[in-house]
Amino acid sequence: MTFLMHWSFKTGYHEIAAKKFLATGAPFPECTLWKRWHAPGSVERWILLEADKADACYEHAAEWAECLDWEVTPVLSDEQAGPLIAKAYS
């Protein structure tokens, strides 16, 4: 399943999180990490990944919870959503 993880820095934790990221690379075991996006001049960031279970997202978010606030959303592609929309409205 594909997940979009949105996160932002908690107040006062930008430097701590940045140093942790640079030291570790913020790995995602048990996931295929598709892409990370960083909004320059903002505290907003996004991660798009593929995982068999939401547990992997939860584990990663928990590891960074001291520094970051998280929103995790399962997402579908057009190819996945199209048949479901067609079924709902047929």
Side-chain angles (χ1 to χ4, degrees):
M1 179 168 244
T2 305
F3 294 91
L4 179 64
M5 298 180 73
H6 170 252
W7 59 270
S8 59
F9 291 108
K10 291 182 177 179
T11 302
Y13 282 88
H14 186 273
E15 185 176 352
I16 294 166
K19 287 180 178 179
K20 182 177 177 179
F21 174 76
L22 292 172
T24 67
F28 260 98
E30 301 179 34
C31 295
T32 301
L33 179 62
W34 294 111
K35 193 133 331 203
R36 291 181 215 216
W37 291 274
H38 303 259
S42 169
V43 297
E44 306 296 321
R45 310 291 191 263
W46 299 265
I47 303 167
L48 186 66
L49 62 98
E50 189 79 23
D52 291 333
K53 300 185 304 183
D55 300 21
C57 298
Y58 183 86
E59 183 178 345
H60 189 76
E63 180 184 342
W64 289 84
E66 175 188 4
C67 304
L68 309 174
D69 289 318
W70 289 95
E71 270 184 46
V72 181
T73 307
V75 294
L76 301 173
S77 67
D78 286 350
E79 294 78 20
Q80 293 168 309
L84 299 172
I85 294 169
K87 182 178 175 182
Y89 293 106
S90 62

